Amino acid sequence: MTISRNTFDPTKNYRRIRYHQDRDLLDSELNEQQDIVNLSRKRLADILFNEGAILAGLDVSVTGNVLTLASGIVYIEGHVEPILGESLSFDATKTTGADYVYLELLKYNYGYSQDGGLINPATGEPTAEREKWVFKLKATDTSSQTLPNNVTERKNLPIYKFDRESGRVTPTVQEKSNLKIADLIGTLPGNRITVSSISEDQLAFAAAEGLNSLLQNLAERTFDQAGSYLVRGLDSFEGAITNDSVEVITNSGRAYIQGYRLQKDLPSTTLIPKSVATKSVRGEQKTYNINERRYAVNSTPLKQSTQVEGIVEIQRNVTRGSVGGGEDILNPGPVVDILEVSQGATIFRKGIDWQQSGNNIDWMSSGSEPAIGTTYTVRWTYTKQLAKGTDYVDGGWFGRPNHPAAGDYRYIVTAFDAAGECAFASAKVVSRTTALGEMNRLTWLPVSGASGYRVYRSLGGTARADFQRLRQLGSEALFYIDDGVDEATTTAPPATAGTPMVMGAASIALANLNVVNFGKSTLGDQPVNGSNCSIDYDYYLGRKDIIYATYREIKRLEGAPADFPKLPIVPEDALGLCSVDCPPNSTAIEIRNFGLTRVTMDQIHDIIKDVESLKYNDAQYQMNNELQNRDAQTKKGVYSDDFSNSAQSDVFHAEWNARINEVAHFVAPGRSSLSTVLQVDPAASNVSLFGSLALLPGTENVLMAQDDWSEERNINPYA
């Protein structure tokens, strides 16, 4: 066939194709529209009929080993097809076992060569091709035979079984319809059954309809009164995790949805696919700085950059054209600015000898110019679509050509000052397995008095000599990102310390990969310093799903991916169980159970008691607040004092003579303190007297003793 492509995918669940007036009409879209309609019709028809069911005709007469079949109608591939009759001969020597009558379907691709009517009479050009179905009754299965010319597909369907011993011919599909009597409960009016024609099946059917109607009425009343709610269980938590999905396990439990009971005796599992939907950004601007090679994109997480465009400087020799005072084209372009035009030691002047005209040098007849046919040098800037993997990459350069390979890298960071550098210590080495395109971020705590820090790296080796100095940083530096660009030297960390400073171990982690990295200035082309770069890229979107329950099963409702995703709306006939936050391109999901559990009578009574206590406390506060805010002459009324403090007492009143016990919460008459000197009879007591102190007898236990000490030392080297 000469169609461009087949875009139909039933898993995407498309239902319509919307055509636009400003877009091309593709053949694949018209074909996909037909496939959508055919699939919908087939799904509906499959509910009514079984594949291969004989709906009418195809009566069989047997004469020895010959079957004569009349014309009839068969259901096949979602279509009700008329079939012509046929006489079929089987092996006359076969007396046992079974043979089958097959219905062969051949799908032909017809064009103007097979059907002369498929020509546009106005232009004489071929029109669209057709798919033609041809049916034939066969005595053998022809699936393995070579397809005839112009046939795209063959299907063989057994429709009759021929028992050679008994001579009986029976349809292979006994039940023509998929519908059962139980499926019709609630769909047919039961009052049409009359006494004169009633049977046991009809009576059972009517009873089932009546019971269903009663249950539905009770369910509606229950739902109107209490809504949908959990009784117990059905809480969800995270299960097994793969690279592409997470299992969410919902415990067993019971709930009432729309008044119907849902009982789950075993946990159920819902598969949550990772959110990998993307959104595109076009033309994000970055100002290139020659001292900075990594530029973070604004929208993350980054999937991939699709195009990076920058202004690049180039110098090339150009051959002077054959026309004096003419133009010479510069390639590559488009040219942004011509910086210099020279020939040997001669530098031609802009505006006098030449001027820029688009992508050309326009030589002015009034000035100087190179001789015709000679070469001269031009330095100019132009807008270039930078090459990914050569001029820039997403993330880091590890594993790229001419850069360090991906692998297990080890690092150590030392501090140095004017006296020297900290010594290598294997206990302070940190490591991380670095994959293709990744970067490593090292962080450390500042060291007092350090002039700077030195970063050393080793690929796999653990000995001091395996480490090579990668970068020296200033005293203000507290981190370093190794993106595979900085070149290591041959210098190893010192074996002995040249300074009394103590450097702690650094921490290592994966660096932010949502960057465009221009890498080494010696490899590829780099934008002009201070110029703007345009970045096109795709980034991942997050999603929020809901796991909900109907009165039959537990399902997942997928939310729409977005920068700030929102929860989808739970269907009216369902109960939401939990929300699942799916971060962009990550399996680190977060589950929040809604917990819409029933409220029992005990809980209602507790709530009523709490409300009554709240009302009492509020009334008490309002009364006390009103009295407290009156002036001294009118501050009269009934107080509700809990005697926890003296806030409501006028302790400065002349007649005030009371005391408040703030621990036991009571008020009592005032009392005056009387000091009595403690007197001890040493002869009749075993207390120990130390001046005015009398201590009860006891035994002293020494838990720790340090009789000697040397000097004071700082136990926090980072202070």
Side-chain angles (χ1 to χ4, degrees), residues 308-458:
V308 176
E309 194 173 73
I311 300 175
V312 175
E313 182 178 322
I314 190 174
Q315 178 175 305
R316 286 190 179 176
N317 291 331
V318 180
T319 302
R320 181 67 188 91
S322 60
V323 179
E327 296 182 349
D328 295 331
I329 190 169
L330 300 179
N331 188 37
V335 176
V336 177
D337 189 21
I338 299 175
L339 304 178
E340 184 181 81
V341 181
S342 63
Q343 189 178 48
T346 303
I347 298 178
F348 298 98
R349 298 161 296 173
K350 184 177 182 180
I352 298 176
D353 301 328
W354 60 273
Q355 63 183 2
Q356 181 177 345
S357 176
N359 294 332
N360 300 290
I361 294 180
D362 184 4
W363 292 101
M364 305 174 70
S365 58
S366 59
S368 301
E369 64 178 85
I372 293 175
T374 61
T375 61
Y376 59 97
T377 303
V378 182
R379 187 165 55 89
W380 75 92
T381 59
Y382 71 99
T383 303
K384 177 185 178 182
Q385 290 186 7
L386 300 175
K388 191 172 185 179
T390 303
D391 301 329
Y392 77 96
V393 294
D394 299 338
W397 287 85
F398 280 102
R400 314 287 184 182
N402 302 315
H403 290 82
D408 187 12
Y409 284 91
R410 291 173 167 79
Y411 298 86
I412 188 171
V413 181
T414 64
F416 68 91
D417 58 11
E421 184 180 355
C422 296
F424 172 81
S426 59
K428 297 178 182 178
V429 173
V430 293
S431 65
R432 184 178 176 276
T433 301
T434 308
L436 172 67
E438 290 188 345
M439 301 185 293
N440 297 322
R441 179 184 174 90
L442 299 167
T443 56
W444 55 85
L445 294 173
V447 177
S448 178
S451 300
Y453 305 92
R454 291 170 180 157
V455 180
Y456 296 86
R457 184 181 69 195
S458 167

Side-chain angles (χ1 to χ4, degrees), residues 107-118:
K107 297 182 181 179
Y108 284 85
N109 182 41
Y110 265 49
Y112 69 94
S113 299
Q114 293 78 28
D115 186 351
L118 300 181

Side-chain angles (χ1 to χ4, degrees), residues 575-603:
L575 172 65
L577 300 179
C578 70
S579 67
V580 183
D581 292 351
C582 304
N585 193 34
S586 173
T587 54
I589 66 171
E590 185 175 350
I591 301 172
R592 294 185 177 90
N593 289 293
F594 296 145
L596 302 175
T597 313
R598 64 177 177 178
V599 179
T600 63
M601 293 303 295
D602 292 340
Q603 292 171 321

Side-chain angles (χ1 to χ4, degrees), residues 449-592:
S451 300
Y453 305 92
R454 291 170 180 157
V455 180
Y456 296 86
R457 184 181 69 195
S458 167
L459 176 56
T462 58
R464 182 184 66 85
D466 295 327
F467 287 83
Q468 298 175 328
R469 185 187 298 175
L470 194 62
R471 190 73 179 271
Q472 178 171 305
L473 305 169
S475 59
E476 75 286 350
L478 295 178
F479 72 92
Y480 169 73
I481 296 177
D482 183 15
D483 57 2
V485 175
D486 290 335
E487 296 184 357
T489 65
T490 58
T491 305
T496 59
T499 175
M501 293 187 304
V502 178
M503 179 74 188
S507 298
I508 189 170
L510 176 65
N512 177 26
L513 300 182
N514 302 309
V515 298
V516 172
N517 193 333
F518 289 100
K520 298 179 182 179
S521 59
T522 56
L523 294 177
D525 291 333
Q526 300 217 342
V528 175
N529 188 34
S531 65
N532 278 357
C533 298
S534 176
I535 302 176
D536 297 349
Y537 61 94
D538 300 331
Y539 67 97
Y540 291 103
L541 298 174
R543 188 186 72 237
K544 289 188 176 182
D545 297 348
I546 282 183
I547 295 178
Y548 67 96
T550 66
Y551 69 91
R552 293 181 181 271
E553 57 188 336
I554 294 175
K555 296 183 177 181
R556 177 179 71 96
L557 181 60
E558 184 172 304
D563 292 307
F564 303 97
K566 296 181 179 179
L567 282 175
I569 299 176
V570 181
E572 292 184 358
D573 59 345
L575 172 65
L577 300 179
C578 70
S579 67
V580 183
D581 292 351
C582 304
N585 193 34
S586 173
T587 54
I589 66 171
E590 185 175 350
I591 301 172
R592 294 185 177 90

Side-chain angles (χ1 to χ4, degrees), residues 683-698:
S685 176
N686 60 353
V687 300
S688 300
L689 298 176
F690 297 92
S692 60
L693 297 177
L695 303 181
L696 294 174

Side-chain angles (χ1 to χ4, degrees), residues 232-304:
R232 62 176 179 272
L234 294 181
D235 54 316
S236 301
F237 57 91
E238 187 178 297
I241 301 175
T242 64
N243 291 332
D244 301 321
S245 61
V246 180
E247 286 185 350
V248 173
I249 301 173
T250 303
N251 274 332
S252 59
R254 177 183 292 181
Y256 281 87
I257 297 103
Q258 293 285 309
Y260 293 94
R261 185 179 71 177
L262 171 67
Q263 178 72 37
K264 286 289 184 180
D265 297 324
L266 295 173
S268 59
T269 300
T270 305
L271 194 66
I272 306 295
K274 186 165 63 174
S275 179
V276 293
T278 59
K279 188 176 180 180
S280 299
V281 174
R282 298 292 178 261
E284 184 171 299
Q285 298 296 308
K286 302 293 180 183
T287 301
Y288 182 76
N289 184 341
I290 196 171
N291 297 318
E292 183 179 351
R293 58 176 176 261
R294 296 183 296 270
Y295 297 84
V297 296
N298 295 341
S299 299
T300 58
L302 173 68
K303 179 183 181 183
Q304 63 177 357

Side-chain angles (χ1 to χ4, degrees), residues 121-274:
T123 63
E125 296 179 348
T127 62
E129 298 171 345
R130 307 296 199 266
E131 181 180 275
K132 181 176 181 179
W133 287 15
V134 176
F135 295 93
K136 184 75 172 177
L137 294 173
K138 296 282 186 176
T140 58
D141 186 355
T142 61
S143 299
S144 60
Q145 297 180 8
T146 304
L147 292 177
N149 291 336
N150 297 324
V151 172
T152 61
E153 185 181 346
R154 169 191 277 133
K155 182 171 184 176
N156 280 271
L157 200 64
I159 59 173
Y160 277 118
K161 179 182 178 181
F162 181 20
D163 191 325
R164 301 307 304 273
E165 186 173 356
S166 64
R168 294 182 56 190
V169 180
T170 56
T172 56
V173 179
Q174 296 291 327
E175 295 185 3
K176 300 179 181 181
S177 176
N178 283 319
L179 290 176
K180 312 298 180 185
I181 290 295
D183 296 333
L184 301 176
I185 295 178
T187 60
L188 298 179
N191 57 6
R192 293 184 181 178
I193 300 176
T194 61
V195 176
S196 60
S197 62
I198 197 167
S199 65
E200 290 186 5
D201 291 340
Q202 291 173 327
L203 182 62
F205 182 66
E209 273 200 311
L211 177 61
N212 183 73
S213 177
L214 177 61
L215 293 177
Q216 182 176 356
N217 184 268
L218 292 175
E220 289 177 356
R221 295 188 64 179
T222 303
F223 175 71
D224 291 341
Q225 181 180 9
S228 297
Y229 58 89
L230 289 171
V231 176
R232 62 176 179 272
L234 294 181
D235 54 316
S236 301
F237 57 91
E238 187 178 297
I241 301 175
T242 64
N243 291 332
D244 301 321
S245 61
V246 180
E247 286 185 350
V248 173
I249 301 173
T250 303
N251 274 332
S252 59
R254 177 183 292 181
Y256 281 87
I257 297 103
Q258 293 285 309
Y260 293 94
R261 185 179 71 177
L262 171 67
Q263 178 72 37
K264 286 289 184 180
D265 297 324
L266 295 173
S268 59
T269 300
T270 305
L271 194 66
I272 306 295
K274 186 165 63 174

Side-chain angles (χ1 to χ4, degrees), residues 604-623:
I604 294 175
H605 280 283
D606 290 339
I607 293 173
I608 293 175
K609 291 179 181 178
D610 292 340
V611 171
E612 290 176 348
S613 298
L614 180 63
K615 290 167 63 177
Y616 171 79
N617 292 333
D618 183 66
Q620 184 185 64
Y621 169 78
Q622 295 294 340
M623 180 182 67

